[in-house]
Amino acid sequence: MLKIAILVWLMLATTLAGAAVLAVLAIPSFSGEAMRLIPLAAGGGALVAVPFAFLIARRILALSLTRG
């Protein structure tokens, strides 16, 4: 399951980190602190993706075992 979770995390972390960085860039009040907030947003998005990746990997594994 760990291999599946890592592959899912790669895609999910990239998506969530990009969305968080986009949110920082799109909100005008964050523009003054963008140099500090962009790495925090990217790291936070990647960190939030970890439990979701394990959840999705568990569901993929369960579905593949029931169909196999």
Side-chain angles (χ1 to χ4, degrees):
M1 183 175 89
L2 183 63
K3 291 179 183 180
I4 297 171
I6 290 171
L7 290 174
V8 171
W9 179 79
L10 284 171
M11 293 180 283
L12 196 58
T14 304
T15 303
L16 291 179
V21 169
L22 186 62
V24 168
L25 293 174
I27 298 173
S29 62
F30 290 158
S31 64
E33 295 290 320
M35 292 296 287
R36 186 178 65 84
L37 291 177
I38 288 175
L40 291 175
L47 192 62
V48 166
V50 171
F52 289 114
F54 277 103
L55 180 69
I56 293 169
R58 189 177 302 145
R59 292 191 87 176
I60 289 173
L61 190 60
L63 286 173
S64 67
L65 291 176
T66 59
R67 291 182 185 217

